[in-house]
Amino acid sequence: MHDLDTRVGAARALIFDCDGTLLRTPELYAAGWQMAFRTVGQEMDPDWYHHRAGMSEHVLLDEFEAEFDVRLDRAAVVRAMRQAVLAQIEEVQEIVDVAAVARAHAGQKPMAVASGGPKAIVVPSLEAAGLLPLFDCVVTIEDVAHAKPAPDLFLEAAARLKTPAGTCLVFEDSRQGLEAAGRAGMDVIDVNALIAPRLIS
């Protein structure tokens, strides 16, 4: 915890991933994707999704089509997934240890959310959890050219916060997000290490 406090204190701005970092959404997304794939006659094992949690929609669909040698009605799948997730959005819960960091520094340091998810889900999920007012801006996949592990989302967040990338601290949970933060030249905390002891119980 001392290391966390030191790194947060040294940062000029804080940038948080959303799904799996601030919010417990992977199960919600897994169920939504499973339902969506069924609408086009495909089955998706939830474990297949969990190995790819945090991927932007088009990246996940690229992997599904390539792995199973199918061509999907992507618009229909995405539409069904978003509808399924939004129907359950009020059930979303924060990840306490990470949300506590955001609450403790709201108004003290510039803070942003940088998510590879769509704005249509990211903003309502933050609203449902009561976290949206903490942040100066929310950057989503529609705002950049490339998904994580490209650094675009984090660099865009730093630009909107008017803070040099090298002075930002990122909170992330996914492999591609951790890589993206590194490629952006930012210090990054793997929240899996931060929250794991509490999740075990």
Side-chain angles (χ1 to χ4, degrees), residues 55-76:
M55 283 185 175
S56 295
E57 293 167 342
H58 68 282
V59 179
L60 186 141
L61 289 169
D62 286 344
E63 290 221 354
F64 191 93
E65 288 187 336
E67 184 167 338
F68 299 105
D69 193 24
V70 295
R71 291 296 173 265
L72 303 168
D73 181 343
R74 289 182 170 226

Side-chain angles (χ1 to χ4, degrees), residues 139-179:
V139 181
T140 59
I141 192 62
E142 295 92 344
D143 299 314
V144 297
H146 303 103
K148 302 170 185 176
D152 301 33
L153 281 157
F154 294 126
L155 293 175
E156 178 64 22
R160 293 189 187 188
L161 295 176
K162 297 180 172 58
T163 307
T167 66
C168 295
L169 174 63
V170 171
F171 290 80
E172 252 290 355
D173 71 299
S174 70
R175 174 193 54 76
Q176 61 268 25
L178 294 167
E179 181 180 340

Side-chain angles (χ1 to χ4, degrees), residues 5-199:
D5 292 341
T6 300
R7 291 164 73 183
V8 171
R12 286 179 54 184
L14 306 179
I15 303 174
F16 296 80
D17 172 52
C18 182
D19 301 305
T21 297
L22 284 167
L23 300 177
R24 296 184 191 279
T25 52
E27 290 294 341
L28 194 62
Y29 271 101
W33 278 113
Q34 188 173 43
M35 182 180 301
F37 280 119
R38 283 176 179 161
T39 66
V40 293
Q42 300 292 326
E43 284 294 327
M44 184 210 75
D45 188 322
D47 285 341
W48 185 91
Y49 170 77
H50 285 301
H51 282 100
R52 296 159 179 80
M55 283 185 175
S56 295
E57 293 167 342
H58 68 282
V59 179
L60 186 141
L61 289 169
D62 286 344
E63 290 221 354
F64 191 93
E65 288 187 336
E67 184 167 338
F68 299 105
D69 193 24
V70 295
R71 291 296 173 265
L72 303 168
D73 181 343
R74 289 182 170 226
V77 174
V78 168
R79 185 166 56 249
M81 182 278 293
R82 292 184 183 185
Q83 288 173 347
V85 171
L86 289 171
Q88 304 296 322
I89 204 72
E90 294 303 321
E91 298 179 9
V92 72
Q93 296 180 342
E94 68 180 41
I95 294 176
V96 175
D97 294 299
V98 183
V101 175
R103 286 198 175 90
H105 296 90
Q108 299 179 17
K109 291 180 182 284
M111 298 199 309
V113 172
S115 172
K119 194 176 298 292
I121 294 179
V122 173
V123 171
S125 65
L126 291 168
E127 286 178 330
L131 298 179
L132 187 62
L134 303 179
F135 298 99
D136 300 291
C137 63
V138 176
V139 181
T140 59
I141 192 62
E142 295 92 344
D143 299 314
V144 297
H146 303 103
K148 302 170 185 176
D152 301 33
L153 281 157
F154 294 126
L155 293 175
E156 178 64 22
R160 293 189 187 188
L161 295 176
K162 297 180 172 58
T163 307
T167 66
C168 295
L169 174 63
V170 171
F171 290 80
E172 252 290 355
D173 71 299
S174 70
R175 174 193 54 76
Q176 61 268 25
L178 294 167
E179 181 180 340
R183 291 172 66 180
M186 299 178 181
D187 187 17
V188 58
I189 288 177
D190 182 348
V191 302
N192 294 296
L194 182 65
I195 66 179
R198 301 232 180 146
L199 291 182

